[in-house]
Amino acid sequence: MKQGIWIAVVATALCVLPLVFNSDVALTILVFSYLQGMLAVSFNLIFGFTGQLSMFHAAAFGIAAYATHLFMQHLGVAYWSATVLAAALVAAVSVVVGAICFRFRLREFYFAVVTLAFSEMARLTVLNWNSLTNGSLGINLQEKPPLWLPGTGIVKLESTLAWYYLSLVALGATLLVCGRMVHSWMGRCFAAIRMNDELGDTLGINVFRYKLTAFVVGNMMAAVAGSLYAYFLGSLEPGFLSIDQSLGIVAMVLLGGRSVVAAPVVGAFVLTTLPHLIHFSAEIRSIVYGAILIFTILVMPQGIYGGLWQIMRRRHAA
Amino acid sequence: MWQLIVGQLLNGAIVGTLYGIVALGVTLTFGITGIVNFALGVFMMLGAYAAWYFADTVGLPYPLAVLTAVVVTSFAGLVADQALFRFTRNNLVNGLLVSIGMIAVMESSALLIWTSTPKEMHHVLPGVFAFFGLVVPKMKLVVFGLLLAVIFATYAALTKTWSGRAAYAYAQNAEAAALMGVPTSRLQTGVVAYSTGLAGLAGALYASLYSLEPTLGSLFILKAVEAAILAGIGSVAGALLGGIILGVTEGVGSIYLPLAFRDAYGLVFLVVILLFKPSGLFAGRR
């Protein structure tokens, strides 16, 4: 119950925030943080809760971003239908990749390597299929998705404020789905698989099915984040599918914390905001990013959220 | 046509030994510390730049520059091990992430120091060997021979010397090895320094063949890890064979298949191996 109150307070604060603090730059950064947060939360379903270090997350994100644009252009469907189709495409790809990996019982490092291999193949395909994807130059996305809003009817999403609420809702939905999954019977199965999948198997848990479920659901949420991200940014490039992107997601999750559903959002927020607050060159930014990653792992293995929680509990007990 | 194929076979084998020697470092580090150290790629980059610096800027003769580069990289490896990797022993995911953080830091530092403009070293050994219509640069053959010699020397040291056998014993059962009087922490540090030294050697020799960029290690380490897994992680001779198989697959593959997907052939091969023979091609053999 106490948790419910906290969630309501934070949600209300975030809804009211743009009315009080209406800066276009700040809102833009927040939109990016929310969309990255969506990626991190959905990745954590696979990594933190089910224990599978997937390197396919950036691929799911990027494939959906490209697919949304291509469906709109070549099938002539509207943005939201294209997003649904893209998510379906990513789901289909994830089922194939996941089924291969899990059927052959690839674990830990081997799972990471094989998903990385599939992810690289997807990136090379996007990079080299020039007629569809325009190769390394990427694509400029001119149009903005339409949305029905109470009071104004159907509008094109032009203003940052509209995007702010859209991304907030999307992040909220992601948190809700992940939270419901993790705190259910299915979540218990995920935990069993994370701790010892062979033991889970002997206890009658269908390890293959639950690993695949986590993988596919996580990737589908990444897919939605991908098509939103691309259309907010207004461009597409093969870098969406890069290894660096996958590692960035891992860093957000580790920095935030992997034991709580919402914790990765903190990591996403810090890593997205930091470069905007302090103007570094790209190299220095990368050095800071690497240092944060090393520091988190060696000094704060539970992440910011986990660390703060522990301090608070210690004070409470004292 | 056959000249092209044989040429690519040879070229693939030579590049493959470079993959192989870094893969050897990956395998040794994994056997002793239980982590896959992706940061070996940046040590290779460090070795390459060090060799270039000592040979072209300081003006040392090339063999001496290579030696200095190896010493510098092993020392850097030692420092990194004591400062960072000491805390991630036998924790695969944490080790992986720390090495990734280290790649970000070192690669960007290299970009700041040496910029992204490729550096060309002077030609150490110009000239080519020509036989049966095939042309191979002399330097490539020297590098090939040298790397093979180092790999076989490592193999001999691991099987014939006391500390080599201690390393094997430690990889098989750490506790039993400690009980038999193996100085485990010194062994771990030694093997890590040796592995980074191997990566540094690969880099220093690479510098004499190709131009240098700060990102050269990242591509190489992926290939080296592929080679090590391909062979079955833990196998010394397998690391070399895995590297050569990978190099040849890429070389010959790019004749018949589109060049743009060159980096993907090894990956496809790797996925197939992992699915059908997860312990690697040469598992169970040393």
Side-chain angles (χ1 to χ4, degrees), chain A residues 260-279:
Chain A
V260 181
V261 174
V265 181
V266 180
F269 177 73
V270 171
L271 285 182
T272 315
T273 320
L274 202 64
H276 292 279
L277 286 183
I278 315 160
H279 284 277

Side-chain angles (χ1 to χ4, degrees), chain A residues 47 53 100 104 106 108-110 113-114 116-118 120-121 124-125 128 243 247 250 254 258 283-284 286-287 289-291 293-294 297-298, chain B residues 36 38 84 87-88 92-94 96-98 100-102 104-105 108-109 111-112 222 225 229 233 260-261 264 267-268 270-271 274-276:
Chain A
F47 172 63
L53 180 55
I100 291 174
F104 286 92
L106 296 176
E108 288 190 340
F109 180 66
Y110 292 102
V113 168
V114 171
L116 180 73
F118 280 114
E120 274 295 280
M121 285 175 218
L124 287 169
T125 309
N128 293 305
I243 299 177
L247 295 176
V250 178
L254 286 170
R258 52 193 136 160
E283 288 87 22
I284 304 267
S286 180
I287 291 176
Y289 156 79
L293 195 58
I294 294 174
I297 305 233
L298 295 184
Chain B
V36 177
F38 273 85
L84 305 174
F87 304 105
T88 64
L92 224 132
V93 172
N94 282 5
L96 187 71
L97 295 168
V98 169
I100 285 158
M102 217 183 122
V105 172
S108 310
S109 311
L111 267 170
L112 282 178
L222 269 182
V225 172
I229 297 172
I233 216 153
F261 290 92
L267 285 172
V268 175
L270 176 75
V271 169
L274 275 182
L275 295 183
F276 295 102

Side-chain angles (χ1 to χ4, degrees), chain B residues 8-24 27 144 147-148 151 220 222-232 235-251 262 266 269-270 281-282:
Chain B
Q8 283 292 358
L9 271 174
L10 259 178
N11 217 355
I14 293 170
V15 177
T17 45
L18 270 172
Y19 295 156
I21 197 149
V22 184
L24 180 58
T27 277
F144 183 57
L147 289 176
L148 281 186
I151 291 174
F220 249 82
L222 269 182
K223 301 289 169 64
V225 172
E226 279 168 34
I229 297 172
L230 203 65
S235 157
V236 173
L240 172 65
L241 285 174
I244 291 180
I245 290 173
L246 200 61
V248 169
T249 313
E250 282 176 5
R262 188 166 180 259
F269 200 46
L270 176 75
L281 284 177
F282 310 103

Side-chain angles (χ1 to χ4, degrees), chain A residues 165-225:
Chain A
Y165 284 112
L166 179 63
S167 54
L168 188 61
V169 168
L171 176 64
T174 310
L175 286 171
L176 192 69
V177 172
C178 288
R180 296 293 292 193
M181 279 182 89
V182 168
H183 297 120
S184 70
W185 195 76
M186 202 187 274
R188 297 298 159 103
C189 295
F190 290 165
I193 291 168
R194 179 183 72 228
M195 288 167 186
N196 188 339
D197 63 350
E198 273 172 0
L199 184 61
D201 206 14
T202 60
L203 292 176
I205 293 171
N206 191 333
V207 171
F208 174 77
R209 186 197 294 162
Y210 287 110
K211 276 184 179 172
L212 195 61
T213 308
F215 188 65
V216 172
V217 172
N219 283 344
M220 279 175 77
M221 289 187 286
V224 177

Side-chain angles (χ1 to χ4, degrees), chain B residues 180-247:
Chain B
M180 295 301 127
V182 173
T184 50
S185 69
R186 220 185 316 155
L187 183 77
Q188 285 180 326
T189 316
V191 168
V192 168
Y194 188 76
S195 305
T196 46
L198 285 179
L201 176 69
L205 294 175
Y206 178 93
S208 68
L209 297 176
Y210 308 97
S211 58
L212 306 182
E213 286 173 67
T215 49
L216 74 91
S218 302
L219 190 65
F220 249 82
I221 192 64
L222 269 182
K223 301 289 169 64
V225 172
E226 279 168 34
I229 297 172
L230 203 65
I233 216 153
S235 157
V236 173
L240 172 65
L241 285 174
I244 291 180
I245 290 173
L246 200 61

Side-chain angles (χ1 to χ4, degrees), chain A residues 71-148:
Chain A
F71 284 141
M72 279 172 78
Q73 200 168 44
H74 295 280
L75 300 183
V77 292
Y79 173 79
W80 293 106
S81 328
T83 304
V84 172
L85 284 177
L89 175 73
V90 167
V93 174
S94 311
V95 167
V96 174
V97 171
I100 291 174
C101 292
F102 299 133
R103 184 57 79 198
F104 286 92
R105 293 170 178 278
L106 296 176
R107 284 207 196 100
E108 288 190 340
F109 180 66
Y110 292 102
F111 178 72
V113 168
V114 171
T115 45
L116 180 73
F118 280 114
S119 178
E120 274 295 280
M121 285 175 218
R123 188 183 68 86
L124 287 169
T125 309
V126 166
L127 188 63
N128 293 305
W129 200 340
N130 282 318
S131 58
L132 270 187
T133 63
N134 202 17
S136 56
L137 294 176
I139 300 170
N140 243 327
L141 302 173
Q142 296 298 337
E143 67 257 80
K144 295 284 178 191
L147 194 69
W148 181 86

